[in-house]
Amino acid sequence: DADVTQTPRNRITKTGKRIMLECSQTKGHDRMYWYRQDPGLGLQLIYYSFDVKDINKGEISDGYSVSRQAQAKFSLSLESAIPNQTALYFCATSDFKGSNTGELFFGEGSRLTVL
Amino acid sequence: LAKTTQPISMDSYEGQEVNITCSHNNIATNDYITWYQQFPSQGPRFIIQGYKTKVTNEVASLFIPADRKSSTLSLPRVSLSDTAVYYCLVGDRVDNNDMRFGAGTRLTVKP
C-alpha cells in the first residue's frame, strides 16, 4: 500500500460543484502539502500544514480551502469548482525530524476535470 | 525565495552522462539545493540534496561551486527509463514550504 494515498484518483465534475480531495498518510509525518500541476508546468503550492493546528496559504490558495482533520489526514476543497481548476493535484508529506533532507513524499495524484 | 533557472529540455542517448545545470543567483545562506525527478502522471521523487561542493548517491551526483550560485545534477550512463522531468529547488530544508517547483528540465533519452 502507498504511504501517501489520495482519493479520488480521477474526478469529473461540473462548474459550481463542491469538490473534496482527500489525502491520508501512514508515514507519521507532521507536515502535509497540497500542490497543483497544470499540463507541461511545474507544481504550485496551494496550502501546507506543519501540524494539526497549523494551516498556511501557499502560492495559489484562492478558490481552495483545506482541513487537517488529524496528523494523517489533509483534505483539499474546491467550494465552487471552475474550469481553470482542471489540473492534477498532488498531496505530499515531509518530516525534517526523520530525515535531514526534508524530503517530500508525494501521493499518486488526483486528476480533476471541471466541465 | 530563491528563484531557479533550468533549461526547458535536453536530449541524450542511452549510456551517456547527462549534466543538468540550475542557476540560483540569489541563494541564501540557509538554503539547500534539492533535485526531484518526475515521471508522467506521477508525483515527484527526491533524487539528491546538497549544500556545497559535491554530493553523490547511488543515483546521481550534485556539483555545487563555491559561490553556490549554480548547481549541476549529473546522471551517469542514462537509460531510457531516465526520461523524465527534473526539478531543481532551492530553499530552507527545515521550512521547505518556500521551495518552489519551476517548470523543470524535460530530459528525453533516446536509444
Side-chain angles (χ1 to χ4, degrees), chain B residues 62-75:
Chain B
L62 179 59
F63 298 92
I64 305 167
D67 66 6
R68 304 201 325 123
K69 293 184 182 299
S70 67
S71 58
T72 299
L73 174 72
S74 181
L75 304 173

Side-chain angles (χ1 to χ4, degrees), chain A residues 2-17:
Chain A
D3 293 326
V4 183
T5 303
Q6 294 183 227
T7 56
R9 294 293 312 282
N10 289 283
R11 182 72 181 269
I12 299 174
T13 190
K14 295 181 179 180
T15 298
K17 294 293 186 181

Side-chain angles (χ1 to χ4, degrees), chain A residues 60-86:
Chain A
I60 55 163
S61 59
D62 288 348
Y64 301 95
S65 63
V66 291
S67 174
R68 184 80 184 267
Q69 301 95 323
Q71 185 205 38
K73 296 183 182 297
F74 193 36
S75 60
L76 175 71
S77 294
L78 288 69
E79 296 301 326
S80 180
I82 56 177
N84 74 1
Q85 291 178 312
T86 292

Side-chain angles (χ1 to χ4, degrees), chain A residues 31 33 37 100-102 104, chain B residues 36 38 49 93-94 96-97:
Chain A
R31 301 179 177 188
Y33 309 77
Q37 185 170 37
N100 62 3
T101 64
L104 290 164
Chain B
Y36 284 83
Q38 185 182 27
Q49 184 183 81
R93 61 183 184 174
V94 177
N96 57 8
N97 50 289

Side-chain angles (χ1 to χ4, degrees), chain B residues 12-101:
Chain B
S12 182
Y13 291 93
E14 283 190 292
Q16 290 188 334
E17 178 184 76
V18 171
N19 296 307
I20 305 175
T21 298
C22 179
S23 297
H24 28 80
N25 291 320
N26 61 340
I27 189 169
T29 302
N30 291 335
D31 288 348
Y32 279 70
I33 300 153
T34 308
W35 286 80
Y36 284 83
Q37 174 193 56
Q38 185 182 27
F39 298 113
S41 298
Q42 294 186 24
R45 183 174 67 100
F46 175 92
I47 301 176
I48 197 167
Q49 184 183 81
Y51 184 81
K52 61 181 179 180
T53 63
K54 176 183 175 181
V55 179
T56 298
N57 62 23
E58 64 278 7
V59 177
S61 294
L62 179 59
F63 298 92
I64 305 167
D67 66 6
R68 304 201 325 123
K69 293 184 182 299
S70 67
S71 58
T72 299
L73 174 72
S74 181
L75 304 173
R77 299 179 298 280
V78 294
S79 64
L80 297 177
S81 62
D82 291 315
T83 294
V85 178
Y86 293 83
Y87 297 98
C88 166
L89 284 73
V90 173
D92 186 335
R93 61 183 184 174
V94 177
D95 292 323
N96 57 8
N97 50 289
D98 72 349
M99 289 194 180
R100 295 291 184 259
F101 285 84

